[in-house]
Amino acid sequence: MADTFRALLVEKTDTGQAVRFADWTDADLMAGDVTVAVSHSTVNYKDGLAVTGKAPIIRTFPLVPGIDFAGTVTASDHSNWKPGDQVILNGWGVGETHHGGFAGRARVKGDWLVRLPQGMSQAQAMAIGTAGYTAMLCVLALEDQGVKPGDGEVLVTGAAGGVGSIAIAVLSKLGYTVVASTGRPEEEAYLKGLGATRIVDRNEFSGPVKALAKMRWAGAVDAVGSTTLANVLSQINYGGAVAACGLAQGADLPASVMPFILRSVKLIGCDSVTCPMPRRVQAWARLATDLDRNKLAAMTHHIRLADVPKAAEEILAGKVRGRLVVDLA
Ligand code: NDP
């Protein structure tokens, strides 16, 4: 009997799209030079959009969503990889145009894979997931711009979400004074447990945007976009920087150029999907050393593949705290 595995599939329907589960074999997978037994995937915000169809993330149907996974190579025609190697995948259109992590197996290009850092388990890698890897890209961007721990407070928006939670944990371990912007005051103890020194109400950043406001932050990691990012920019100290990766509030940016031309503020975009391989390897190496594993465990919740459709709704509703790992093994 062929070796089967469970897969979550999104299909196109007359009214939009629908989810169903199937038992697949390797023959159902797309072309690629490395096949991986997937042990864990995760539910990121983008997966929420893909599974619910609230945004056109999936561009070929039927498709297995899941923009990231960790697992063990079972077959390889790629010179970098051999059976038994432990790997991580983030992005590259996986879960959008290529079958992704919400299945027991995946077949992808070997060029897309990152080796699991030593001392990190596959479950931990996916507790970090694309959200955490992107949080690290944001931290690297702030470092590149010369934002240092002693410079003043660093703001993290979307704090109780996946990107926000890991950004707080990493920045605090690196010695930054971190302030968490959240709409969930009930998560104050959680956010302080991750390393935030205090929380601020996210409504502070949702009002009308001034061209320049009182300088408050040496830097910021923004997972929210829109009015929030515009307000944050207006409050950055002279020469400071914002690393922007998200659009949880919206994709617009109703901002003024004044922070850039009068305060030399830098706005750095962070993309995880087609980020060049050396930067990915750097980010994962830093995640192996600069993220407290106890804090990672405290922000992580494990679910089954069958729970993914419900989790997809919840992450879009802003109800997920920290990270959701999907156990597939
Ligand atoms: P989560 O849903 O886990 O976190 C998003 C957080 O944003 C929420 O928890 C909430 O934080 C806050 N938020 C949600 N809605 C609003 C709103 N209307 N106004 C203000 N704040 C809001 O998502 P992730 O952490 O996984 O992803 C965060 C963002 O980053 C997403 O937009 C995602 O698409 C993007 N992203 C981009 C990547 C890239 O490559 N550029 C890679 C990974 C993620 P709280 O409850 O604390 O207020």
Side-chain angles (χ1 to χ4, degrees), residues 5 14 28 32 36 99 102 107 136 166 180 191 197 209 217 220 257 275 287 315:
F5 56 87
D14 292 343
D28 295 303
V36 178
H99 290 321
F102 294 157
R107 189 182 295 124
M136 183 53 90
I166 294 195
L191 293 165
T197 51
V209 181
W217 319 109
V257 297
C275 175
L287 285 160
I315 198 164

PDB file of all heavy atoms in Angstrom, residues 5 14 28 32 36 99 102 107 136 166 180 191 197 209 217 220 257 275 287 315:
ATOM      1  N   PHE A   5      -0.444  10.304   3.637  1.00  0.00           N
ATOM      2  CA  PHE A   5      -0.372  11.335   4.686  1.00  0.00           C
ATOM      3  C   PHE A   5      -1.584  12.237   4.536  1.00  0.00           C
ATOM      4  O   PHE A   5      -2.186  12.312   3.458  1.00  0.00           O
ATOM      5  CB  PHE A   5       0.943  12.130   4.580  1.00  0.00           C
ATOM      6  CG  PHE A   5       1.173  12.758   3.234  1.00  0.00           C
ATOM      7  CD1 PHE A   5       0.656  14.007   2.934  1.00  0.00           C
ATOM      8  CD2 PHE A   5       1.902  12.100   2.257  1.00  0.00           C
ATOM      9  CE1 PHE A   5       0.860  14.590   1.688  1.00  0.00           C
ATOM     10  CE2 PHE A   5       2.109  12.670   1.005  1.00  0.00           C
ATOM     11  CZ  PHE A   5       1.582  13.917   0.722  1.00  0.00           C
ATOM     12  N   ASP A  14     -17.885  27.905  -6.581  1.00  0.00           N
ATOM     13  CA  ASP A  14     -18.624  28.958  -7.297  1.00  0.00           C
ATOM     14  C   ASP A  14     -18.665  30.243  -6.481  1.00  0.00           C
ATOM     15  O   ASP A  14     -18.678  31.347  -7.018  1.00  0.00           O
ATOM     16  CB  ASP A  14     -20.065  28.500  -7.585  1.00  0.00           C
ATOM     17  CG  ASP A  14     -20.066  27.371  -8.594  1.00  0.00           C
ATOM     18  OD1 ASP A  14     -19.027  27.199  -9.275  1.00  0.00           O
ATOM     19  OD2 ASP A  14     -21.072  26.651  -8.683  1.00  0.00           O
ATOM     20  N   ASP A  28       0.941  12.918  -5.268  1.00  0.00           N
ATOM     21  CA  ASP A  28       0.051  14.095  -5.346  1.00  0.00           C
ATOM     22  C   ASP A  28       0.799  15.415  -5.194  1.00  0.00           C
ATOM     23  O   ASP A  28       0.228  16.480  -5.431  1.00  0.00           O
ATOM     24  CB  ASP A  28      -1.015  14.010  -4.243  1.00  0.00           C
ATOM     25  CG  ASP A  28      -1.939  12.831  -4.446  1.00  0.00           C
ATOM     26  OD1 ASP A  28      -2.557  12.770  -5.521  1.00  0.00           O
ATOM     27  OD2 ASP A  28      -2.015  11.981  -3.539  1.00  0.00           O
ATOM     28  N   GLY A  32       9.587  19.171  -7.523  1.00  0.00           N
ATOM     29  CA  GLY A  32      10.607  19.759  -6.649  1.00  0.00           C
ATOM     30  C   GLY A  32      11.733  18.751  -6.537  1.00  0.00           C
ATOM     31  O   GLY A  32      11.542  17.582  -6.893  1.00  0.00           O
ATOM     32  N   VAL A  36      10.141  16.250   1.833  1.00  0.00           N
ATOM     33  CA  VAL A  36      10.332  16.423   3.271  1.00  0.00           C
ATOM     34  C   VAL A  36       9.148  15.804   4.024  1.00  0.00           C
ATOM     35  O   VAL A  36       7.987  16.037   3.649  1.00  0.00           O
ATOM     36  CB  VAL A  36      10.416  17.936   3.620  1.00  0.00           C
ATOM     37  CG1 VAL A  36      10.574  18.154   5.125  1.00  0.00           C
ATOM     38  CG2 VAL A  36      11.572  18.611   2.862  1.00  0.00           C
ATOM     39  N   HIS A  99       2.309  23.741  -3.158  1.00  0.00           N
ATOM     40  CA  HIS A  99       1.758  23.065  -1.970  1.00  0.00           C
ATOM     41  C   HIS A  99       2.647  23.314  -0.748  1.00  0.00           C
ATOM     42  O   HIS A  99       3.871  23.197  -0.821  1.00  0.00           O
ATOM     43  CB  HIS A  99       1.639  21.556  -2.200  1.00  0.00           C
ATOM     44  CG  HIS A  99       0.572  21.179  -3.177  1.00  0.00           C
ATOM     45  ND1 HIS A  99      -0.655  21.801  -3.237  1.00  0.00           N
ATOM     46  CD2 HIS A  99       0.547  20.220  -4.138  1.00  0.00           C
ATOM     47  CE1 HIS A  99      -1.390  21.253  -4.187  1.00  0.00           C
ATOM     48  NE2 HIS A  99      -0.684  20.307  -4.762  1.00  0.00           N
ATOM     49  N   PHE A 102       0.655  22.498   5.339  1.00  0.00           N
ATOM     50  CA  PHE A 102      -0.474  21.860   6.023  1.00  0.00           C
ATOM     51  C   PHE A 102      -0.726  20.463   5.461  1.00  0.00           C
ATOM     52  O   PHE A 102      -1.824  20.110   5.032  1.00  0.00           O
ATOM     53  CB  PHE A 102      -1.729  22.734   5.919  1.00  0.00           C
ATOM     54  CG  PHE A 102      -1.614  24.050   6.648  1.00  0.00           C
ATOM     55  CD1 PHE A 102      -2.399  25.132   6.288  1.00  0.00           C
ATOM     56  CD2 PHE A 102      -0.734  24.207   7.708  1.00  0.00           C
ATOM     57  CE1 PHE A 102      -2.303  26.348   6.952  1.00  0.00           C
ATOM     58  CE2 PHE A 102      -0.620  25.422   8.384  1.00  0.00           C
ATOM     59  CZ  PHE A 102      -1.403  26.494   8.003  1.00  0.00           C
ATOM     60  N   ARG A 107       7.016  18.656  -1.132  1.00  0.00           N
ATOM     61  CA  ARG A 107       8.124  18.548  -2.086  1.00  0.00           C
ATOM     62  C   ARG A 107       8.393  19.944  -2.639  1.00  0.00           C
ATOM     63  O   ARG A 107       7.486  20.602  -3.162  1.00  0.00           O
ATOM     64  CB  ARG A 107       7.799  17.571  -3.216  1.00  0.00           C
ATOM     65  CG  ARG A 107       9.054  17.307  -4.071  1.00  0.00           C
ATOM     66  CD  ARG A 107       8.799  16.382  -5.238  1.00  0.00           C
ATOM     67  NE  ARG A 107       8.426  15.045  -4.839  1.00  0.00           N
ATOM     68  CZ  ARG A 107       7.290  14.442  -5.238  1.00  0.00           C
ATOM     69  NH1 ARG A 107       6.457  15.056  -6.023  1.00  0.00           N
ATOM     70  NH2 ARG A 107       7.018  13.224  -4.846  1.00  0.00           N
ATOM     71  N   MET A 136      12.903  38.636  13.514  1.00  0.00           N
ATOM     72  CA  MET A 136      14.369  38.745  13.542  1.00  0.00           C
ATOM     73  C   MET A 136      14.877  39.592  12.383  1.00  0.00           C
ATOM     74  O   MET A 136      15.836  40.369  12.549  1.00  0.00           O
ATOM     75  CB  MET A 136      15.012  37.353  13.545  1.00  0.00           C
ATOM     76  CG  MET A 136      16.529  37.378  13.639  1.00  0.00           C
ATOM     77  SD  MET A 136      17.189  38.367  15.032  1.00  0.00           S
ATOM     78  CE  MET A 136      17.264  37.137  16.346  1.00  0.00           C
ATOM     79  N   ILE A 166       7.622  37.665  19.440  1.00  0.00           N
ATOM     80  CA  ILE A 166       9.029  37.251  19.271  1.00  0.00           C
ATOM     81  C   ILE A 166       9.935  38.471  19.212  1.00  0.00           C
ATOM     82  O   ILE A 166      11.040  38.458  19.774  1.00  0.00           O
ATOM     83  CB  ILE A 166       9.162  36.319  18.050  1.00  0.00           C
ATOM     84  CG1 ILE A 166       8.402  35.034  18.391  1.00  0.00           C
ATOM     85  CG2 ILE A 166      10.638  36.057  17.722  1.00  0.00           C
ATOM     86  CD1 ILE A 166       8.647  33.841  17.558  1.00  0.00           C
ATOM     87  N   ALA A 180       5.508  47.693  24.570  1.00  0.00           N
ATOM     88  CA  ALA A 180       4.592  46.890  23.756  1.00  0.00           C
ATOM     89  C   ALA A 180       3.297  47.640  23.521  1.00  0.00           C
ATOM     90  O   ALA A 180       2.619  48.029  24.475  1.00  0.00           O
ATOM     91  CB  ALA A 180       4.303  45.568  24.479  1.00  0.00           C
ATOM     92  N   LEU A 191       2.943  40.066  28.209  1.00  0.00           N
ATOM     93  CA  LEU A 191       3.911  40.883  27.457  1.00  0.00           C
ATOM     94  C   LEU A 191       5.101  41.265  28.336  1.00  0.00           C
ATOM     95  O   LEU A 191       6.246  41.267  27.864  1.00  0.00           O
ATOM     96  CB  LEU A 191       3.210  42.122  26.886  1.00  0.00           C
ATOM     97  CG  LEU A 191       2.162  41.779  25.806  1.00  0.00           C
ATOM     98  CD1 LEU A 191       1.250  42.968  25.534  1.00  0.00           C
ATOM     99  CD2 LEU A 191       2.852  41.323  24.526  1.00  0.00           C
ATOM    100  N   THR A 197       8.922  46.379  29.067  1.00  0.00           N
ATOM    101  CA  THR A 197       8.999  47.099  30.349  1.00  0.00           C
ATOM    102  C   THR A 197       7.641  47.695  30.707  1.00  0.00           C
ATOM    103  O   THR A 197       7.314  47.853  31.870  1.00  0.00           O
ATOM    104  CB  THR A 197      10.033  48.238  30.297  1.00  0.00           C
ATOM    105  OG1 THR A 197       9.759  49.028  29.137  1.00  0.00           O
ATOM    106  CG2 THR A 197      11.439  47.696  30.206  1.00  0.00           C
ATOM    107  N   VAL A 209      -3.011  61.701  12.243  1.00  0.00           N
ATOM    108  CA  VAL A 209      -1.541  61.670  12.177  1.00  0.00           C
ATOM    109  C   VAL A 209      -0.996  63.097  12.079  1.00  0.00           C
ATOM    110  O   VAL A 209      -1.348  63.839  11.157  1.00  0.00           O
ATOM    111  CB  VAL A 209      -1.072  60.855  10.953  1.00  0.00           C
ATOM    112  CG1 VAL A 209       0.447  60.799  10.898  1.00  0.00           C
ATOM    113  CG2 VAL A 209      -1.671  59.456  10.974  1.00  0.00           C
ATOM    114  N   TRP A 217      10.516  57.426  20.596  1.00  0.00           N
ATOM    115  CA  TRP A 217      11.079  56.077  20.399  1.00  0.00           C
ATOM    116  C   TRP A 217      12.407  56.130  19.630  1.00  0.00           C
ATOM    117  O   TRP A 217      12.522  56.798  18.613  1.00  0.00           O
ATOM    118  CB  TRP A 217      10.093  55.208  19.601  1.00  0.00           C
ATOM    119  CG  TRP A 217       8.662  55.387  20.002  1.00  0.00           C
ATOM    120  CD1 TRP A 217       7.687  56.006  19.284  1.00  0.00           C
ATOM    121  CD2 TRP A 217       8.054  54.963  21.226  1.00  0.00           C
ATOM    122  NE1 TRP A 217       6.505  55.988  19.985  1.00  0.00           N
ATOM    123  CE2 TRP A 217       6.704  55.360  21.182  1.00  0.00           C
ATOM    124  CE3 TRP A 217       8.525  54.284  22.366  1.00  0.00           C
ATOM    125  CZ2 TRP A 217       5.816  55.094  22.226  1.00  0.00           C
ATOM    126  CZ3 TRP A 217       7.632  54.031  23.403  1.00  0.00           C
ATOM    127  CH2 TRP A 217       6.313  54.433  23.323  1.00  0.00           C
ATOM    128  N   ALA A 220      11.442  51.227  16.195  1.00  0.00           N
ATOM    129  CA  ALA A 220      10.194  50.477  16.329  1.00  0.00           C
ATOM    130  C   ALA A 220      10.183  49.300  15.372  1.00  0.00           C
ATOM    131  O   ALA A 220      10.778  49.348  14.294  1.00  0.00           O
ATOM    132  CB  ALA A 220       8.992  51.375  16.049  1.00  0.00           C
ATOM    133  N   VAL A 257       6.053  63.203   4.927  1.00  0.00           N
ATOM    134  CA  VAL A 257       7.502  63.024   4.720  1.00  0.00           C
ATOM    135  C   VAL A 257       8.325  63.720   5.800  1.00  0.00           C
ATOM    136  O   VAL A 257       9.544  63.547   5.868  1.00  0.00           O
ATOM    137  CB  VAL A 257       7.968  63.543   3.328  1.00  0.00           C
ATOM    138  CG1 VAL A 257       7.312  62.752   2.219  1.00  0.00           C
ATOM    139  CG2 VAL A 257       7.733  65.040   3.170  1.00  0.00           C
ATOM    140  N   CYS A 275      13.308  36.881   0.658  1.00  0.00           N
ATOM    141  CA  CYS A 275      14.541  37.351   1.303  1.00  0.00           C
ATOM    142  C   CYS A 275      15.721  36.471   0.850  1.00  0.00           C
ATOM    143  O   CYS A 275      15.608  35.238   0.835  1.00  0.00           O
ATOM    144  CB  CYS A 275      14.335  37.235   2.810  1.00  0.00           C
ATOM    145  SG  CYS A 275      15.759  37.631   3.782  1.00  0.00           S
ATOM    146  N   LEU A 287      18.321  33.654  15.715  1.00  0.00           N
ATOM    147  CA  LEU A 287      17.188  33.138  16.497  1.00  0.00           C
ATOM    148  C   LEU A 287      17.635  32.004  17.411  1.00  0.00           C
ATOM    149  O   LEU A 287      17.081  31.803  18.497  1.00  0.00           O
ATOM    150  CB  LEU A 287      16.073  32.665  15.557  1.00  0.00           C
ATOM    151  CG  LEU A 287      15.269  33.805  14.920  1.00  0.00           C
ATOM    152  CD1 LEU A 287      14.548  33.334  13.662  1.00  0.00           C
ATOM    153  CD2 LEU A 287      14.275  34.398  15.915  1.00  0.00           C
ATOM    154  N   ILE A 315      -7.022  34.010  13.998  1.00  0.00           N
ATOM    155  CA  ILE A 315      -5.845  34.890  13.861  1.00  0.00           C
ATOM    156  C   ILE A 315      -6.246  36.180  13.157  1.00  0.00           C
ATOM    157  O   ILE A 315      -5.771  37.265  13.517  1.00  0.00           O
ATOM    158  CB  ILE A 315      -4.647  34.177  13.190  1.00  0.00           C
ATOM    159  CG1 ILE A 315      -3.358  34.971  13.474  1.00  0.00           C
ATOM    160  CG2 ILE A 315      -4.830  33.986  11.687  1.00  0.00           C
ATOM    161  CD1 ILE A 315      -2.066  34.230  13.217  1.00  0.00           C
TER     162      ILE A 315
END
